[in-house]
Amino acid sequence: METKNKKMKMMTLDQLKDRDIGEIGTPERDKYEFDLRMELLGEMIKSVRKERNLTQEQLGELIGVQKSQISKLERSTKNVTIETILKVFKALKANVKFSVEMNELEFNVA
Amino acid sequence: METKNKKMKMMTLDQLKDRDIGEIGTPERDKYEFDLRMELLGEMIKSVRKERNLTQEQLGELIGVQKSQISKLERSTKNVTIETILKVFKALKANVKFSVEMNELEFNVA
DNA sequence: TAAAAAGTTGAATTATATGGAAACATTTTG
DNA sequence: CAAAATGTTTCCATATAATTCAACTTTTTA
């Protein structure tokens, strides 16, 4: 598990994508693009939570929600609100960065 | 307007934050952290849309929503869903990157 | 291997994001 | 300045994200 985690951390998202849903350009890839993001977001939360040595219940307490909610955030393929993401990572003392890239320009929204 | 846009693009978010809501550590800053993010997200959308020379109505057509919806996304202080963000920037042919940073480690969710 | 701890799931509820329509306001342009 | 274009706001409906509770499953540990 530890090994698996470490490996994941070292993989770029593109590598994950290639592994999990096929090369760029295939219809499958486009279709699951968003689900993948959500999946990864869940994985991220779980990863960081583990890193902090917290149980879902403890993380829940930090935020003020039940453990079941954390579980859902970690494994759901559903859509999520920015507010929720920020709330969770703030509790985990992790920084969320957000950037929009267009051509050569890149604006960062941290 | 052109000048204003260019200037904004050149500013980092931290600069924007400092200018708009005060230095790090002040309660005001923490309090408006999320609102600010949303505000900036709106500004991003507007910026990129302008860059593409689209009206709100045109962008709306690309996505399949009314111009009023675009207006709301651009100027709302409200919360937004990941799906919505992706949808908008995809229409704008811009790339959204998402990353979570914790200590020295950084995982990218692109 | 049994008990405890941690995580998952489903059903139900509440809160709120998405969205349309239309009236209004602001900006642009001829 | 008047008309046209663009953007904003409000009211409203609908969809769905956030959340709880409790039962259930899986994992850990003594």
Side-chain angles (χ1 to χ4, degrees):
Chain A
M1 187 206 291
E2 185 63 338
T3 309
K4 191 181 154 209
N5 267 346
K6 288 285 187 245
K7 186 176 270 169
M8 199 197 67
K9 281 175 206 160
M10 295 310 158
M11 295 183 77
T12 66
L13 179 66
D14 284 330
Q15 288 174 313
L16 279 177
K17 280 181 182 168
D18 287 347
R19 192 195 61 189
D20 295 344
I21 49 171
E23 304 295 330
I24 289 177
T26 65
E28 289 80 351
R29 173 114 174 205
D30 284 336
K31 189 181 173 198
Y32 294 108
E33 194 79 35
F34 179 61
D35 285 350
L36 178 65
R37 283 166 197 271
M38 283 300 89
E39 242 173 80
L40 286 178
L41 209 53
E43 281 194 54
M44 288 298 133
I45 296 174
K46 186 170 182 175
S47 258
V48 180
R49 175 174 63 79
K50 292 278 190 190
E51 202 89 26
R52 299 295 191 206
N53 280 298
L54 296 171
T55 64
Q56 291 183 340
E57 191 159 30
Q58 290 171 323
L59 175 54
E61 275 160 25
L62 287 176
I63 301 174
V65 301
Q66 296 301 114
K67 62 181 182 171
S68 59
Q69 179 59 7
I70 303 297
S71 173
K72 280 167 187 165
L73 293 174
E74 284 184 0
R75 72 196 335 275
S76 170
T77 57
K78 281 191 167 184
N79 202 359
V80 179
T81 268
I82 293 285
E83 193 173 25
T84 298
I85 295 171
L86 293 178
K87 189 166 55 177
V88 171
F89 285 111
K90 182 172 188 176
L92 289 169
K93 297 189 188 304
N95 249 44
V96 175
K97 287 192 190 167
F98 212 98
S99 65
V100 177
E101 197 181 49
M102 154 180 175
N103 299 335
E104 63 295 331
L105 288 169
E106 175 164 322
F107 324 52
N108 291 292
V109 182
Chain B
M1 188 204 293
E2 186 63 340
T3 309
K4 191 180 154 206
N5 268 345
K6 289 283 186 248
K7 184 176 272 172
M8 199 196 67
K9 279 173 207 159
M10 294 312 157
M11 294 182 78
T12 65
L13 178 65
D14 284 329
Q15 290 175 313
L16 278 177
K17 281 182 184 168
D18 287 346
R19 192 195 60 190
D20 294 344
I21 49 170
E23 304 295 330
I24 288 180
T26 65
E28 289 81 351
R29 174 112 171 208
D30 285 335
K31 189 179 173 198
Y32 294 107
E33 194 79 38
F34 179 61
D35 285 350
L36 177 65
R37 283 165 197 270
M38 284 299 91
E39 242 174 80
L40 286 177
L41 208 54
E43 280 193 53
M44 288 296 135
I45 295 173
K46 186 170 182 173
S47 257
V48 180
R49 174 174 64 79
K50 292 279 189 189
E51 201 90 23
R52 299 296 191 206
N53 280 299
L54 295 171
T55 65
Q56 293 182 338
E57 190 159 32
Q58 291 170 323
L59 175 55
E61 275 161 25
L62 287 177
I63 301 175
V65 300
Q66 295 300 113
K67 60 181 182 168
S68 60
Q69 181 61 9
I70 303 297
S71 173
K72 283 168 190 167
L73 293 174
E74 284 184 359
R75 71 192 338 272
S76 171
T77 57
K78 279 191 169 186
N79 202 1
V80 179
T81 269
I82 294 282
E83 193 172 27
T84 298
I85 296 172
L86 294 177
K87 189 165 55 176
V88 170
F89 286 111
K90 183 172 188 176
L92 288 169
K93 296 188 189 305
N95 248 42
V96 176
K97 286 191 190 168
F98 213 99
S99 64
V100 177
E101 197 182 50
M102 155 180 175
N103 300 333
E104 63 295 332
L105 289 170
E106 177 163 321
F107 325 49
N108 291 293
V109 183

